[in-house]
């Protein structure tokens, strides 16, 4: 345990950002059926809260080290330029919004170039390096979950001015909210801050209470998809610092435990007027790491940027990358590639279609 704590203290400056997780490889999505069901249930747009898994560039406008608005990030984006997404291309939420027919890009709410169309079809309030715990966000000077909800209130005022009170309330009420956050609370906060207790159960329960508060303060929304934690013990940077090609079992067990708590809590929130779905994508990422050929990958131990063993964010800046990003599970030593995000999106869409509609 001491060795793991020592390892995690080394990661404090390297693990500012969370990664998403996955469940099982989804079957091909029937997009026509998906859009018909969304229309039947009057779904209006995508509203996103979270960390680097779903931040399309809000951190570009903050004074924080947790940024990726430089190459090689974005080198496979449409115009081949960085956007602030911690990826070589698009994120899971971009693919989800596209599947519903709203937009192929979910915009950052803080982007000064955001348009009326963007506001009405899909925006993200997410901030890389954030967490359920306010202290997690404060460590990197990023948007806490409560601050993201404050911006959501501003968003409601914006669309009220655009389309009027009645229609704006309808847009919010029938939006799909995606909440993807939590990994940083453990890797950046719990395991590395000396003042934190080592009582995992109590801290997990605290984070669950924060999640519940965030959902209850989603201010009029009725559909929420909560993304669980990934097998973060399989991140290339974690394995590098442990000097072991195997995933860290204890860290992965924490993710499994926390995901179970999320599922139980969501059941207590169930109401006729409120629908939630737990996106347990843990198994998809773990399966991709353990059986990469099943997904068409050839490399699952390291990322595509630089050596792929420790580089992420600023340490990845201007480095060379692998020639075929579609063959890699991880883009940098922390975050997945665009292709892995697409696999995650398809799995999430299958769950949304099956359980939310």
């Amino acid at each position: 345990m001491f060795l793991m704590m020592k390892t995690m203290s080394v990661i404090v400056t390297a693990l500012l950002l969370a990664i998403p997780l996955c469940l099982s490889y989804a079957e091909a999505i029937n997009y026509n059926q998906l859009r018909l069901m969304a229309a039947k249930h009057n779904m209006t747009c995508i509203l996103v809260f979270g960390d680097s898994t779903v931040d399309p560039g809000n951190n570009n406008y903050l004074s924080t080290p947790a940024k990726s608005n430089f190459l090689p990030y974005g080198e496979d984006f449409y115009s081949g330029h960085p956007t602030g997404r911690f990826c070589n291309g698009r994120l899971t939420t971009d693919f989800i919004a596209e599947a519903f027919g709203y937009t192929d890009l979910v915009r950052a709410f803080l982007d000064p170039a955001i348009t009326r169309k963007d506001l009405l079809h899909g925006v993200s309030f997410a901030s890389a390096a954030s967490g359920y715990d306010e202290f997690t966000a404060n460590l990197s000077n990023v948007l806490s979950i409560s601050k993201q909800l404050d911006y959501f209130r501003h968003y409601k005022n914006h669309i009220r001015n655009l389309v009027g009170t009645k229609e704006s309330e309808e847009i919010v009420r029938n939006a799909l909210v995606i909440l993807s956050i939590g990994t940083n609370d453990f890797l950046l906060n719990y395991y590395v801050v000396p003042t934190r207790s080592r009582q995992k159960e109590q801290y997990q329960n605290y984070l669950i209470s924060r999640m519940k508060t965030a959902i209850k303060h989603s201010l009029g929304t009725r559909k929420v998809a909560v993304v669980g934690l990934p097998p973060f013990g399989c991140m290339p940077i974690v394995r590098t610092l442990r000097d072991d090609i195997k995933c860290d079992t204890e860290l992965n067990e924490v993710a499994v435990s926390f995901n179970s708590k999320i599922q139980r809590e969501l059941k207590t929130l169930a109401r006729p007027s409120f629908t939630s779905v737990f996106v347990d994508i843990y198994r998809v990422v773990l399966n991709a790491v353990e059986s990469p050929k099943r997904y068409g990958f050839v490399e699952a131990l390291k990322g595509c940027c630089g050596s792929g063993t420790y580089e992420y964010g600023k340490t990845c800046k201007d480095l060379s990358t692998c020639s075929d990003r579609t063959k890699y599970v991880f883009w940098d030593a922390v975050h997945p590639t665009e292709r892995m995000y697409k696999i995650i999106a398809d799995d999430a869409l299958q769950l949304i279609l099956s359980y939310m509609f």
Side-chain angles (χ1 to χ4, degrees):
M1 185 65 180
F2 173 77
L3 180 59
M4 189 188 76
M5 294 302 180
K6 184 177 180 180
T7 299
M8 294 312 301
S9 67
V10 177
I11 303 176
V12 63
T13 58
L15 286 176
L16 295 172
L17 317 159
I19 72 167
L21 28 154
C22 228
L23 174 120
S24 60
Y25 189 63
E27 297 177 2
I29 300 295
N30 184 328
Y31 292 107
N32 288 332
Q33 181 188 13
L34 185 72
R35 293 173 185 181
L36 285 172
M37 292 300 292
K40 180 180 177 180
H41 289 79
N42 300 315
M43 207 174 102
T44 52
C45 66
I46 306 289
L47 300 174
V48 184
F49 303 85
D51 53 29
S52 62
T53 61
V54 288
D55 179 3
N58 282 308
N59 279 18
N60 295 351
Y61 310 99
L62 303 177
S63 178
T64 175
K67 293 183 180 182
S68 62
N69 55 345
F70 41 77
L71 290 172
Y73 290 97
E75 67 179 6
D76 293 312
F77 198 73
Y78 289 125
S79 52
H81 73 272
T83 61
R85 289 168 172 82
F86 283 83
C87 184
N88 57 306
R90 291 191 286 166
L91 303 175
T92 292
T93 40
D94 296 317
F95 291 117
I96 290 176
E98 182 178 41
F100 280 112
Y102 298 131
T103 175
D104 57 353
L105 295 175
V106 176
R107 301 289 181 178
F109 182 67
L110 296 186
D111 187 345
I114 197 167
T115 67
R116 181 181 190 275
K117 180 181 178 182
D118 296 329
L119 291 169
L120 296 178
H121 289 90
V123 295
S124 175
F125 308 91
S127 182
S130 191
Y132 286 115
D133 188 341
E134 296 284 305
F135 184 63
T136 302
N138 293 341
L139 287 169
S140 303
N141 194 35
V142 298
L143 303 181
S144 65
I145 194 66
S146 61
K147 186 61 178 178
Q148 292 179 37
L149 287 167
D150 283 342
Y151 278 123
F152 179 44
R153 294 181 182 92
H154 290 304
Y155 165 82
K156 291 180 71 176
N157 290 332
H158 278 301
I159 62 171
R160 186 181 298 116
N161 292 333
L162 288 174
V163 299
T165 300
K166 183 177 180 180
E167 188 174 346
S168 66
E169 290 177 351
E170 190 72 12
I171 289 171
V172 170
R173 183 164 52 248
N174 293 313
L176 171 63
V177 171
I178 298 175
L179 180 61
S180 178
I181 196 168
T183 301
N184 292 316
D185 290 313
F186 293 97
L187 296 186
L188 177 61
N189 185 346
Y190 179 82
Y191 281 115
V192 296
V193 178
T195 57
R196 286 293 185 209
S197 70
R198 298 307 174 194
Q199 298 175 313
K200 291 187 186 134
E201 193 75 13
Q202 288 87 336
Y203 189 63
Q204 287 186 34
N205 290 338
Y206 167 70
L207 296 180
I208 291 296
S209 71
R210 297 287 301 166
M211 179 199 76
K212 184 176 181 179
T213 299
I215 291 174
K216 286 188 172 182
H217 286 82
S218 293
L219 308 177
T221 59
R222 300 189 302 183
K223 299 181 181 69
V224 177
V226 179
V227 180
L229 295 187
F232 48 75
C234 296
M235 288 179 178
I237 194 170
V238 172
R239 291 187 289 196
T240 296
L241 292 173
R242 291 179 65 246
D243 194 23
D244 193 339
I245 63 171
K246 295 180 181 179
C247 298
D248 188 299
T249 302
E250 182 174 347
L251 291 182
N252 283 353
E253 287 175 351
V254 168
V256 170
S257 172
F258 189 70
N259 288 344
S260 297
K261 290 179 183 292
I262 293 176
Q263 290 176 283
R264 287 196 295 270
E265 189 61 39
L266 289 179
K267 289 179 181 178
T268 70
L269 297 174
R271 301 286 187 277
S273 60
F274 177 81
T275 305
S276 66
V277 62
F278 173 68
V279 182
D280 182 10
I281 53 176
Y282 180 96
R283 281 180 286 159
V284 171
V285 169
L286 189 63
N287 286 342
V289 168
E290 294 181 341
S291 305
K293 291 183 179 179
R294 177 184 174 191
Y295 298 83
F297 295 118
V298 297
E299 180 56 72
L301 296 179
K302 61 182 181 180
C304 191
C305 179
S307 70
T309 58
Y310 69 89
E311 299 94 340
Y312 82 99
K314 288 187 176 180
T315 56
C316 190
K317 187 176 182 179
D318 296 328
L319 296 184
S320 60
T321 61
C322 59
S323 60
D324 189 351
R325 273 78 71 181
T326 66
K327 301 299 183 183
Y328 280 63
V329 174
F330 291 98
W331 160 246
D332 58 19
V334 175
H335 303 91
T337 56
E338 180 184 62
R339 183 165 177 270
M340 188 69 228
Y341 274 128
K342 178 62 166 63
I343 292 171
I344 291 169
D346 285 347
D347 191 78
L349 285 165
Q350 191 69 58
L351 290 169
I352 291 168
L353 183 61
S354 299
Y355 296 102
M356 189 164 281
F357 295 146

